[in-house]
């Protein structure tokens, strides 16, 4: 947190950066999840249906060459909000990292300057537990709980809901300076089928565009638009088959690293300008602060983009623009990838390094190192100098609980990471594992469709080889468990746990098998271990509550379900279980309020409705 900054307040009251318009200023950050630059009309895509986003581009600046810092959601958003590259902000992977509290965010600076700050999120992967809520006085992240185990990361809200809730918040803050972040998730896989000829991915982007249009109209109606600084950026793109990648996260090629970036600030940015200088999403935070007349924190690695339109052509020193992905290691035990842009050259550090001249080779087809057309050693040296200069975050972003546990917890989270970061040289290069990746994608798809027989068939070879393929084994275990084939499921989990004893995904799988087999004492022990490893995960407490309840230990079950609600106040199943316990104990008032709470979170929740009807009947009789 940052102490209140008086000079900054004075700047605010004189309306710095928003000259010529009445009323307090507003800064609105729109992040488009998974949106490729080349799928927007403003970036030249003919089939686009993005009139509102294109309109923002026409009303301000379009950056033709913006790079995300990572092809995954949390690391990229953390860079947008901090102005830091992932090695310095620490939130380097989805699901098992969080932004350390000591890192200063653009939000905290706006908040210190007297702005009301609100964020409206569309996906679980950005929920408050991952630390991006710092500085927001309202962090709107209530996602519905989907019971299907494979869909956890996909819990999402529609763009329409995000806009509606953001507008309600703005209305409640009328007359106050605003910093508001809206996140839209539609273009993220899985794409909803599209009835028209449009590619389903384009249809998802079009849905976001419609919601953006609604937001802009509402800002106009409220007289806000003309004093709003508006930035639109994607957190990363989408492979769509480029270089063999369908979605994002595995590689750092342009399909996922190149992002759209639009910036509109009335009376400040000339309308309709295009800026070709390579920029990074770390530049967004210092730019927004600059435009608002606020000072960026010391140590910010981005630069204000203002000189690019206010003093174009002026000499700017060339700089390296960094990006990375840790997903290959966490997800598949393959090598991390990292790299940098330097001018229009792009270097990728991998077990087999790559260099591309994007100006003549935008599709990254010719690795100049392979062709002998560039000196690899000097690039490696330059890259090592760059990363050597990155300050470490004030505390590790990997979700860990205390120093003792932290050391053991390379594997905490949803993937497999038994190896230390510096061991990556021994790991396979993701680009050499293309066939495996395609197979994994088919396995994931079968699992999403709950085609358990399909999963078992697809993973059969991975279990037969001399060395077990952990990824296939995990999915095979889940498939067996879902088919109630508990013995082979448990055997697979135990084999994997010998390799990765502290992997929470494996332990959750084992606990659920134990529960389903009626081994409630054993399940309780496994949940206790899970709570030790990750006390912030609501399912660890809820599972413990379920096991206690099955053993008739009502008080323990109650405490566990309450703990699940502390970890996640929107955990509908825990509200429901507690409501039932209350009703059984005769506390109808408390039961009613718990079921009503469910309907506030999820209005179409049938069980809660039925329970409320039963309660009404019971209390009448
Ligand atoms: Zn994303």
């Amino acid at each position: 947190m940052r102490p209140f900054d008086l000079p900054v307040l004075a700047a605010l009251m004189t309306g710095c950066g928003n000259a010529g318009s009445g009323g307090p200023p507003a800064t609105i950050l729109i992040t488009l999840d998974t949106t490729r630059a080349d799928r927007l009309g403003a970036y030249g895509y003919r089939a686009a249906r993005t009139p509102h986003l294109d309109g923002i581009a026409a009303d301000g600046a379009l950056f033709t060459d913006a790079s995300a810092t990572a092809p995954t959601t949390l690391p990229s958003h953390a860079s947008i909000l901090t102005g830091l590259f992932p090695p310095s902000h620490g939130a380097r992977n989805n699901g098992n990292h969080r932004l350390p509290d000591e890192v200063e965010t653009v939000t905290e600076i706006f908040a210190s300057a007297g702005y009301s700050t609100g964020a409206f999120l569309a996906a679980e992967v950005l929920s408050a537990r991952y630390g991006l809520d710092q500085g927001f006085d309202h962090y709107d992240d209530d996602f519905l709980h989907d019971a299907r185990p494979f869909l956890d990361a996909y819990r999402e809200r529609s763009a329409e809901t995000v806009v509606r809730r953001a507008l309600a918040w703005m209305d409640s803050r009328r007359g106050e300076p605003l910093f508001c972040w809206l996140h839209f998730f539609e273009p993220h896989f899985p794409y909803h089928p599209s009835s028209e000829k449009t590619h389903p991915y384009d249809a998802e982007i079009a849905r976001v565009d419609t919601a953006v249009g609604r937001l802009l109209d509402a800002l106009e109606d409220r007289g806000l638009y003309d004093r709003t600084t508006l930035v639109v950026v994607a957190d990363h793109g989408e492979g769509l088959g480029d270089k063999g990648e369908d979605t994002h996260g595995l590689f750092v090629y342009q399909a996922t690293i190149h992002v759209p970036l639009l910036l509109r600030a009335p009376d400040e940015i000339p309308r309709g300008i295009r800026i070709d200088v390579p920029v990074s999403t770390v530049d967004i935070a210092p730019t927004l602060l600059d435009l608002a007349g606020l000072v960026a924190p010391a140590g910010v690695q981005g630069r204000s983009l203002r000189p690019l339109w206010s003093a174009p052509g002026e000499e700017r020193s060339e700089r390296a623009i960094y990006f990375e992905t840790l997903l290959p290691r966490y997800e598949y035990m393959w090598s991390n990838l990292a790299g940098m842009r330097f001018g229009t050259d792009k270097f990728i550090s991998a077990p087999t390094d790559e260099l591309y001249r994007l100006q003549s080779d935008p599709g990254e087809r010719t690795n100049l190192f392979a062709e002998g057309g560039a000196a690899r050693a000097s690039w490696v040296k330059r890259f090592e100098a760059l990363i050597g200069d990155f300050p470490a975050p004030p505390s590790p972003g990997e979700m860990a609980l205390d120093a003792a546990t932290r050391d053991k917890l390379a594997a905490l989270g949803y993937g497999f990471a038994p190896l230390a970061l510096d061991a990556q040289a021994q790991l396979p290069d993701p680009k050499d594992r293309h066939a495996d990746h395609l197979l994994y994608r088919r396995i994931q798809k079968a699992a999403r469709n709950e085609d358990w027989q399909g999963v078992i068939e697809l993973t059969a070879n991975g279990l037969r080889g001399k060395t077990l393929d952990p990824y296939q084994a995990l999915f095979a275990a889940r498939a067996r468990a879902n088919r109630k084939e508990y013995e082979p499921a448990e055997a697979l989990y135990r084999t994997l746990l010998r390799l990765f004893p502290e992997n929470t995904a494996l332990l959750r799988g084992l606990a659920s098998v134990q529960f389903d087999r009626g081994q409630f004492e054993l399940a309780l022990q496994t949940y206790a271990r899970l709570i030790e490893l990750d006390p912030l995960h609501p399912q660890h407490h809820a599972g413990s509550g379920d096991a206690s309840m099955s053993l008739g230990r009502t008080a323990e079950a109650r405490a566990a379900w309450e703990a699940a609600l502390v970890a996640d106040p929107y955990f509908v199943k825990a509200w429901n279980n507690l409501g039932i316990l209350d009703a059984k104990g005769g506390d109808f008032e408390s039961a009613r309020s718990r079921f009503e709470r469910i309907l506030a979170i999820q209005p179409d929740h049938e069980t809660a409705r039925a329970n409320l009807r039963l309660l009404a009947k019971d209390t009448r009789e």
Side-chain angles (χ1 to χ4, degrees):
M1 288 291 170
R2 194 164 178 274
F4 218 74
D5 199 335
L6 282 177
V8 153
L9 247 197
L12 174 70
M13 288 184 296
T14 58
C16 185
N18 290 275
S21 50
T27 295
I28 295 181
L29 165 66
I30 293 178
T31 59
L32 313 171
D33 215 290
T34 323
T35 302
R36 278 174 72 128
D38 62 6
R39 290 295 177 122
L40 302 185
Y43 281 82
Y45 185 49
R46 295 233 174 132
R49 288 184 301 156
T50 52
H52 301 102
L53 291 165
D54 301 343
I56 295 170
D59 211 14
L62 178 151
F63 293 82
T64 59
D65 192 2
S67 290
T69 61
T72 46
T73 306
L74 178 73
S76 178
H77 278 94
S79 286
I80 292 169
L81 290 172
T82 61
L84 299 172
F85 293 112
S88 291
H89 65 53
R92 298 175 76 176
N93 193 50
N94 287 339
N96 63 349
H97 280 61
R98 62 172 272 127
L99 184 68
D101 289 337
E102 304 91 328
V103 176
E104 194 163 22
T105 63
V106 66
T107 321
E108 288 173 309
I109 298 173
F110 275 111
S112 303
Y115 280 65
S116 284
T117 50
F120 302 85
L121 292 313
E124 166 68 24
V125 63
L126 293 179
S127 71
R129 68 194 293 253
Y130 301 118
L132 298 191
D133 59 331
Q134 295 176 44
F136 283 106
D137 53 55
H138 182 76
Y139 198 80
D140 195 301
D141 64 346
D142 60 355
F143 312 108
L144 303 188
H145 278 262
D146 192 317
R148 285 187 291 169
F150 289 96
L151 296 184
D152 247 17
Y154 294 122
R155 283 191 295 187
E156 61 173 281
R157 295 195 296 196
S158 70
E160 199 189 323
T161 304
V162 168
V163 166
R164 181 165 39 77
R165 296 185 66 99
L167 288 172
W169 175 81
M170 286 182 207
D171 287 341
S172 74
R173 300 292 197 280
R174 236 175 245 271
E176 296 169 19
L178 301 177
F179 175 67
C180 182
W181 167 29
L182 295 90
H183 169 237
F184 299 127
F185 200 65
E186 269 78 357
H188 195 282
F189 190 85
Y191 323 127
H192 292 98
S194 152
S195 54
E196 317 127 67
K197 285 187 200 135
T198 319
H199 188 291
Y201 176 70
D202 292 336
E204 297 280 37
I205 294 176
R207 273 187 271 277
V208 169
D209 187 82
T210 303
V212 168
R214 198 158 299 151
L215 172 73
L216 298 181
D217 287 347
L219 292 176
E220 289 269 21
D221 291 347
R222 288 156 172 80
L224 267 170
Y225 189 64
D226 284 334
R227 47 197 158 87
T228 295
T229 296
L230 183 61
V231 59
V232 179
V233 66
D235 62 343
H236 50 78
E238 184 79 322
L240 300 178
D242 286 9
K243 305 281 280 184
E245 184 175 35
D246 292 336
T247 60
H248 55 270
L250 184 63
F251 294 131
V252 287
Y253 296 120
Q254 289 300 84
T256 60
I257 293 296
H258 179 214
V259 288
L261 173 60
L262 313 173
L263 185 56
R264 180 254 186 210
D267 306 328
E268 170 66 39
I269 301 178
R271 300 185 45 159
I273 58 165
R274 293 171 76 86
I275 293 172
D276 295 326
V277 176
V279 299
S280 165
T281 54
V282 293
D283 300 331
I284 292 171
T287 304
L288 293 180
L289 293 170
D290 188 3
L291 287 170
L294 301 172
V295 180
V300 153
Q301 290 161 333
R303 301 172 172 181
S304 172
L305 298 171
R306 196 179 214 158
L308 296 181
W309 66 80
S310 66
E314 209 163 86
E315 213 44 54
R316 273 167 71 93
S317 57
E318 286 269 351
R319 61 155 172 174
I321 289 175
Y322 176 86
F323 47 82
E324 69 172 27
T325 179
L326 275 59
L327 179 140
R329 186 173 65 89
Y330 278 111
E331 227 14 69
Y332 306 118
M333 275 207 295
W334 299 341
S335 172
N336 291 333
L337 297 174
M340 64 175 178
R341 284 285 304 278
F342 200 82
T344 51
D345 289 346
K346 179 171 174 180
F347 170 79
I348 298 173
S349 171
T352 306
D353 293 335
E354 297 162 70
L355 182 74
Y356 301 101
R357 296 258 138 85
L358 295 182
Q359 201 137 42
S360 53
D361 181 19
E364 295 158 287
R365 290 202 166 78
T366 308
N367 178 4
L368 293 173
F369 293 143
E371 307 274 307
R376 202 181 72 87
S378 71
W379 277 97
V380 170
K381 211 170 131 197
R382 199 189 281 180
F383 183 68
E384 280 170 358
L386 171 74
I387 54 178
D389 282 346
F390 286 147
S395 65
E398 204 163 19
M399 288 225 252
L401 317 163
D402 57 65
T405 329
R406 195 181 293 149
D407 292 339
K408 296 186 282 170
L409 288 191
L412 179 67
Y414 306 101
F416 304 96
L419 304 169
L421 272 174
D422 56 10
Q424 69 156 301
Q426 301 151 15
L427 297 175
D429 194 322
K431 61 181 170 285
D432 297 335
R433 301 298 294 268
H434 191 230
D436 286 330
H437 190 239
L438 290 181
L439 173 64
Y440 296 172
R441 301 277 306 155
R442 290 175 63 202
I443 294 169
Q444 287 167 4
K445 188 175 177 194
R448 261 197 314 278
N449 296 331
E450 301 183 17
D451 170 13
W452 306 120
Q453 182 55 38
V455 171
I456 287 167
E457 284 164 17
L458 286 166
T459 54
N461 280 330
L463 306 186
R464 228 177 271 140
K466 255 192 214 136
T467 49
L468 179 92
D469 178 330
Y471 197 79
Q472 297 189 46
L474 170 65
F475 275 83
R478 285 173 172 171
R480 295 286 179 192
N482 274 289
R483 284 164 50 117
K484 305 194 194 312
E485 295 164 14
Y486 297 127
E487 267 172 45
E490 183 163 345
L492 280 165
Y493 279 126
R494 292 209 180 275
T495 305
L496 285 165
L497 280 163
R498 272 195 293 278
L499 296 169
F500 314 106
E502 293 183 334
N503 184 288
T504 51
L506 296 174
L507 285 165
R508 272 197 299 279
L510 176 65
S512 130
V513 166
Q514 290 167 330
F515 183 87
D516 289 344
R517 298 182 88 172
Q519 301 169 337
F520 303 122
E521 287 286 1
L522 289 175
L524 211 49
Q525 285 167 24
T526 310
Y527 280 118
R529 180 77 186 116
L530 277 163
I531 290 167
E532 237 173 79
L533 290 169
D534 184 0
L536 294 176
H537 201 302
Q539 278 171 9
H540 299 172
H541 299 283
S544 172
D546 294 346
S548 291
M549 196 63 211
S550 302
L551 290 163
R553 298 173 195 160
T554 315
E556 284 162 35
R558 179 184 285 279
W561 288 329
E562 295 280 11
L565 290 177
V566 171
D568 181 354
Y570 300 97
F571 200 75
V572 163
K573 202 177 145 227
W575 283 114
N576 193 56
N577 289 345
L578 286 166
I580 292 169
L581 269 193
D582 286 342
K584 282 185 175 162
D587 188 348
F588 298 124
E589 209 40 57
S590 173
R592 190 186 339 274
S593 81
R594 292 194 201 264
F595 295 135
E596 279 166 358
R597 180 64 187 258
I598 294 174
L599 292 178
I601 297 168
Q602 195 176 334
D604 56 356
H605 198 281
E606 281 308 319
T607 314
R609 274 188 199 290
N611 283 337
L612 276 171
R613 279 194 298 273
L614 280 174
L615 267 186
K617 208 171 132 222
D618 270 12
T619 41
R620 266 200 314 272
E621 278 162 7

